[in-house]
């Protein structure tokens, strides 16, 4: 059995027939081929699958695709372009905030919400706000530094 879901992804409205048990992560990666969003643990523990749904960060592995009916979803493919990086993407490069890069799209998507939160300003607050996004390469210092840099110099 399938059910119809209509969702706007990176500004484009998409209508798909999906299994009601399909996750938003599988819809993005397998149905829409937006593979920038990563599947890490698939159990809500690593943050690699973070996307924005109506501007708020969401673990797409724990969200059913049907829950996104009518929503605006932003994935890493909707953030900057290779020729015009988002300030946060540029800051990640400047601060060496990645090694293998597997967690990076989730880190960026999560950081977008942190950037927009005026209550989160210090290094400690940023680290706490980003604590749901794990990095097995241990690039945490660079990640926090990149977010602090954008907060200070290129608020978005
Ligand atoms: S893949 Fe979703 S939290 Fe790890
Ligand atoms: S850069 Fe490798 S897991 Fe974060």
């Amino acid at each position: 059995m399938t059910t119809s879901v209509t969702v706007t992804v990176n500004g484009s409205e998409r209508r798909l027939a999906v299994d009601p048990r399909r996750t938003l992560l599988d819809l993005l990666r397998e149905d829409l081929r937006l593979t920038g969003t990563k599947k890490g643990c698939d159990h809500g523990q690593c943050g690699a699958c973070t996307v924005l749904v109506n501007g708020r960060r969401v673990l797409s592995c724990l969200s059913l695709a049907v829950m996104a009916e009518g929503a605006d979803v932003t994935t890493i493919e909707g953030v900057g372009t290779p020729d015009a990086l988002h300030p946060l993407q540029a800051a990640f490069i400047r601060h060496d905030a990645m090694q293998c890069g597997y967690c990076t799209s989730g880190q960026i998507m999560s950081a977008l919400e942190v950037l927009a939160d005026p209550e989160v300003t210090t290094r400690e607050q940023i680290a706490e706000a980003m604590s749901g996004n794990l990095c097995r390469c241990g690039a945490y210092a660079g990640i926090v530094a990149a977010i602090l840099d954008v907060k200070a110099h290129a608020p978005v």
Side-chain angles (χ1 to χ4, degrees):
M1 185 186 82
T2 61
T3 187
S4 169
V5 60
T6 302
V7 57
T8 300
V9 181
N10 300 331
S12 300
E13 187 176 284
R14 312 296 295 264
R15 177 178 298 201
L16 301 103
V18 297
D19 186 309
R21 297 164 298 183
R22 195 153 188 74
T23 65
L24 179 58
L25 176 59
D26 287 344
L27 177 138
L28 293 170
R29 284 183 56 85
E30 296 178 18
D31 299 333
L32 299 181
R33 298 291 174 195
L34 294 170
T35 54
T37 304
K38 301 303 184 204
K39 182 179 282 192
C41 64
D42 209 20
H43 284 85
Q45 295 174 347
C46 73
C49 64
T50 306
V51 298
L52 299 182
V53 176
N54 295 329
R56 303 304 306 268
R57 54 183 169 173
V58 159
L59 297 175
S60 61
C61 72
L62 291 188
S63 305
L64 293 175
V66 293
M67 292 164 63
E69 169 67 29
D72 269 311
V73 176
T74 306
T75 70
I76 193 66
E77 289 87 351
V79 181
T81 66
D83 293 331
L85 295 178
H86 185 283
L88 194 52
Q89 292 169 317
F92 265 58
I93 293 170
R94 274 199 310 282
H95 290 276
D96 205 14
M98 71 205 80
Q99 283 188 38
C100 75
Y102 199 82
C103 72
T104 308
S105 57
Q107 303 281 0
I108 297 269
M109 300 313 295
S110 198
L112 286 171
E113 185 181 278
V114 173
L115 276 182
D117 186 344
E119 303 291 320
V120 179
T121 57
T122 67
R123 186 178 300 274
E124 292 72 26
Q125 288 170 328
I126 290 172
E128 172 64 26
M130 293 294 295
S131 61
N133 288 82
L134 304 185
C135 174
R136 294 196 68 173
C137 300
Y140 296 111
I143 292 167
V144 172
I147 298 169
L148 262 176
D149 187 351
V150 179
K151 280 243 181 208
H153 299 112
V156 291

